[in-house]
């Protein structure tokens, strides 16, 4: 595939899936001992004498904190033996019509009949028919339960979908041109697919949008499992409501390896490289029914994969989860998007839906090998820099208790606007959130792994164009 296509790949959005979830990756480093494995002597743990655990008390300096500590019990060292400062350019947008045609043709390689649909139409006729059927079934149940008020509300909600369905022809025209902000539809094996390319980018710098999804599985299969159930959707255990009927004994119709293969094929078809799988979660298909549409039955049905960019074994980390960081005022900030990550959901029919954001153009990477501070040198420099950070960015906390530290690449920009991935130690105080099943950072400080100075998270993200002031008070 022509590598130029990566300049077209960015946001693949979700239609039927709720993708509200976050990772729970914990990376810990220690103060003593380093690695005991001879095989790792040439790796970063051996080169930098990174130990297995740490329990450090830092000087508070002029921070007005009563204490600053770092305590971690389990080290995971990036699988790398060299570290770079990596210059890069962002992905350009929008892509050309020819590039878009090539991508769409690759995605729809199981059919020669690709049809065009107006970009203002939010759904395909098959999905709209299913939605309307679901509304009608719920209306009948509400009336049977002597709840005409709820039935009336459902009638009002259904009108939008009926009007939209009436505006769609039964037979869509064959696609002859390929442009952004339009839908392209194909069907294979009774499964509907929709792809939409769009640009939400104003300055032509990074993250085009692409939309690709399968529709619902064939109606006959849905209704064969639960009688009189109007529809089904893929979701995840965290999002399933109603009585929990999934006990974990059901067998997933595909293996994790089969699902991962489908997800990787999608990235390859989009021309995206440099991504690695960072997390896997079993998907659950929920059949809705009951009096008011609550879930009747749930079964394992594929997998949800998370991907992130790696550079020679080291993660690239973007500051997209700082809303909970106490020392950072995010009330007047808006995150503009443009991270290198993907979330891809797969069932036995293939990719269900996915979200892919591409920010950095890998073809422009310019690597300069750099020497990092040793662990002890970094800890000494970090002690001074962290105290200075909290003097400059006060927190409402009386103490800071870091429990997670990770060596990763962080995107930075210099005063001239040149962008680089810089090796950085990320200090976090995380608290596990049961509702979202992930670690929420309460405190976070970036320490440049080359010189030990702190990197101002918000100012840096503004320089690379990812945050902007909103002016809210």
């Amino acid at each position: 595939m022509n590598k130029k296509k990566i300049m077209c790949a960015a946001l693949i959005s979700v239609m039927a899936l709720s993708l509200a979830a976050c990772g729970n990756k914990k990376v810990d480093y220690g103060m003593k001992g380093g690695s005991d494995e001879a095989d790792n002597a040439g790796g970063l743990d051996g080169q930098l004498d990174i130990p297995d655990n740490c329990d450090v008390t830092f000087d508070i300096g002029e921070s007005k904190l009563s204490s600053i500590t770092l305590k971690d019990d389990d080290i995971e060292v990036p699988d790398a033996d060299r570290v770079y400062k990596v210059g890069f350019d962002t992905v350009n947008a929008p892509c050309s019509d020819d590039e878009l045609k090539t991508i769409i043709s690759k995605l729809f390689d199981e059919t020669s009949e690709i049809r065009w649909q107006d970009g203002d139409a939010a759904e395909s006729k098959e999905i709209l028919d299913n939605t309307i059927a679901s509304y009608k079934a719920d209306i009948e149940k509400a009336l049977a339960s002597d709840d005409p008020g709820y039935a009336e509300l459902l009638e009002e909600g259904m009108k939008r979908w009926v009007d939209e369905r009436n505006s769609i022809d039964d037979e869509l025209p064959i696609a002859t041109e390929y442009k952004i902000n339009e839908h392209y539809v194909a069907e294979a094996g009774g499964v509907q697919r929709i792809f939409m390319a769009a640009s939400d980018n104003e300055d032509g710098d990074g993250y085009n949008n692409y939309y690709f999804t399968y529709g619902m599985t064939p109606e006959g299969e849905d209704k064969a499992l639960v009688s009189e159930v109007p529809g089904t959707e893929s979701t995840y255990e965290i999002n399933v409501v109603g009585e929990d009927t999934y006990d974990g004994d059901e067998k997933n119709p595909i293996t994790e390896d089969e699902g991962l293969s489908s997800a990787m094929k999608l990235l390859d078809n989009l021309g995206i490289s440099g991504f690695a799988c960072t997390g896997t979660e079993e998907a659950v298909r929920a059949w809705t029914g009951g009096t008011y549409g609550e879930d009747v039955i749930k079964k394992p049905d594929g997998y949800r994969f998370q991907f992130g960019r790696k550079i020679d074994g080291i993660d690239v980390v973007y500051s997209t989860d700082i809303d909970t960081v106490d020392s950072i005022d995010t009330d007047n900030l808006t995150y503009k998007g443009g991270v290198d990550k993907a979330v891809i959901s797969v069932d036995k029919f293939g990719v269900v839906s996915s979200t892919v954001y591409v920010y950095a153009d890998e073809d422009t990477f310019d690597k300069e090998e750099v020497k990092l501070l040793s662990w002890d040198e970094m800890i000494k420099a970090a002690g001074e820099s962290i105290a200075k950070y909290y003097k400059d960015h006060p927190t409402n906390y009386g103490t800071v208790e870091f429990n997670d530290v990770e060596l990763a690449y962080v995107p930075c920009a210099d005063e001239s606007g040149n962008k680089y991935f810089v090796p950085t130690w990320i200090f976090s105080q995380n608290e596990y959130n049961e509702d979202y099943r992930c670690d929420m950072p309460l405190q976070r400080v970036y320490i440049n792994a080359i010189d030990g100075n702190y990197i101002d998270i918000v100012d840096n993200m503004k320089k690379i164009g990812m945050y902007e002031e909103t002016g809210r008070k």
Side-chain angles (χ1 to χ4, degrees):
M1 173 174 284
N2 189 326
K3 284 193 174 181
K4 195 175 181 184
K5 290 175 194 169
I6 195 173
M7 304 178 77
C8 296
L11 177 60
I12 302 172
S13 267
V14 175
M15 192 169 207
L17 290 182
S18 169
L19 295 181
C22 43
N24 184 22
K25 182 173 186 290
K26 182 174 176 61
V27 184
D28 304 309
Y29 299 87
M31 279 296 289
K32 298 180 181 179
S35 172
D36 294 329
E37 298 181 18
D39 288 345
N40 292 331
L44 291 180
D45 51 355
Q47 295 174 25
L48 305 179
D49 196 22
I50 301 173
D52 296 325
N53 54 76
C54 67
D55 189 350
V56 184
T57 298
F58 295 112
D59 188 88
I60 62 172
E62 299 179 44
S63 66
K64 298 184 179 179
L65 290 163
S66 60
S67 69
I68 306 172
T69 61
L70 165 65
K71 187 173 182 179
D72 261 324
D73 299 322
D74 184 23
I75 287 181
E76 291 182 18
V77 181
D79 184 16
D81 56 11
R82 290 181 177 83
V83 184
Y84 307 88
K85 182 177 180 181
V86 183
F88 70 93
D89 294 331
T90 51
V91 175
N92 291 320
C95 63
S96 70
D97 295 350
D98 287 342
E99 290 169 329
L100 183 57
K101 180 179 179 180
T102 301
I103 289 176
I104 292 174
S105 299
K106 189 88 171 180
L107 290 172
F108 290 155
D109 58 1
E110 295 175 25
T111 177
S112 59
E113 195 170 74
I114 301 172
R115 296 184 176 273
W116 170 86
Q117 182 175 304
D118 189 335
D120 292 333
E123 313 279 9
S124 72
K125 62 182 179 65
E126 287 84 0
I127 293 177
L128 288 170
D129 287 341
N130 191 291
T131 301
I132 293 168
S134 179
Y135 268 97
K136 287 180 178 179
D138 287 343
I139 290 169
E140 291 178 5
K141 291 172 185 176
L143 292 174
S145 301
D146 196 23
D147 193 349
Y150 183 58
E152 185 177 348
L153 287 175
L154 290 171
E155 288 274 7
E156 283 296 317
M158 186 176 67
K159 285 180 180 178
R160 168 195 169 191
W161 306 109
V162 171
D163 290 343
E164 185 163 339
R165 174 61 181 89
N166 291 337
S167 69
I168 298 177
D169 294 331
D170 287 336
E171 189 75 3
L172 295 174
I174 298 292
T176 56
E177 296 180 333
Y178 294 86
K179 300 180 180 297
I180 62 172
N181 301 316
E182 305 290 356
H183 288 181
Y184 297 91
V185 182
E187 185 171 311
V191 180
Q192 185 77 34
R193 304 182 183 192
I194 304 170
F195 179 92
M196 184 183 76
S199 175
D200 65 354
N201 180 56
E202 296 180 356
D203 55 11
D205 203 26
Y207 58 92
N208 266 5
N209 303 340
Y210 298 104
Y211 186 102
F212 177 75
T213 182
Y214 286 86
M216 295 180 182
T217 56
E219 181 179 350
E221 179 177 325
D222 293 344
K223 293 188 175 181
L225 293 175
V226 183
S227 62
E228 298 181 359
V229 173
T232 168
E233 64 175 344
S234 286
T235 183
Y236 302 95
E237 197 64 38
I238 191 172
N239 299 319
V240 174
V241 298
E243 183 180 356
D244 188 0
T245 56
Y246 170 49
D247 58 13
D249 292 334
E250 296 282 352
K251 183 178 180 181
N252 203 307
I254 62 171
T255 68
E256 186 174 334
D257 286 345
E258 288 170 339
L260 183 59
S261 177
S262 293
M264 294 295 291
K265 180 181 177 182
L266 174 66
L267 292 177
D268 183 59
N269 285 344
L270 289 167
I272 297 172
S273 58
F275 280 24
C277 185
T278 59
T280 304
E281 182 178 9
E282 189 173 59
V284 174
R285 184 168 288 272
W287 281 262
T288 58
T291 304
Y292 297 117
E294 65 267 23
D295 296 317
V296 172
I297 189 169
K298 301 187 288 286
K299 291 180 179 289
D301 191 39
Y303 295 89
R304 175 183 185 269
F305 300 96
Q306 298 184 65
F307 295 84
R309 184 178 292 283
K310 284 182 180 285
I311 300 177
D312 295 342
I314 301 179
D315 291 337
V316 173
V317 173
Y318 292 85
S319 299
T320 58
D321 59 347
I322 63 171
D323 285 350
T324 56
V325 176
D326 183 73
S327 60
I328 297 176
D329 177 14
T330 59
D331 288 342
N332 297 315
L333 293 172
T334 295
Y335 176 67
K336 297 176 64 176
V339 296
D340 287 319
K341 69 177 183 180
V343 179
I344 302 176
S345 301
V346 179
D347 69 6
K348 63 185 178 182
F349 295 99
V351 173
V352 177
S353 59
S354 52
T355 306
V356 179
Y357 304 81
V358 177
Y359 179 70
D361 183 357
E362 191 172 29
D363 287 346
T364 66
F365 282 10
D366 183 17
K367 296 180 179 180
E368 175 190 352
E369 189 171 351
V370 292
K371 180 176 175 59
L372 304 187
L373 297 174
S374 70
W375 173 263
D376 288 342
E377 291 170 336
M378 184 277 294
I379 287 293
K380 180 179 179 180
E384 300 176 5
S385 295
I386 292 172
K388 185 176 186 304
Y389 172 85
Y390 282 107
K391 177 187 176 184
D392 298 338
H393 301 277
T395 176
N396 294 312
Y397 284 47
T399 64
V400 171
E401 300 172 352
F402 295 118
N403 56 14
D404 184 47
V405 62
E406 174 184 5
L407 180 62
Y409 284 110
V410 168
C412 297
D414 61 24
E415 296 303 324
S416 299
N418 300 311
K419 297 179 178 67
Y420 303 90
F421 289 120
V422 176
T424 301
W425 288 99
I426 302 174
F427 289 73
S428 298
Q429 179 177 336
N430 292 323
E431 182 176 274
Y432 188 73
N433 187 302
E434 289 288 349
D435 291 336
Y436 294 99
R437 295 192 297 174
C438 67
D439 282 335
M440 309 290 279
L442 306 178
Q443 303 288 343
R444 179 162 291 171
V445 178
Y446 282 179
I447 299 296
N448 187 314
I450 302 172
D451 59 25
N453 293 319
Y454 84 75
I455 299 170
D456 191 299
I457 295 175
V458 173
D459 282 352
N460 177 62
M461 296 300 278
K462 287 179 182 178
K463 285 181 181 178
I464 63 175
M466 287 194 177
Y467 281 98
E468 64 180 3
E469 299 282 355
T470 63
R472 294 195 302 267
K473 297 296 182 184

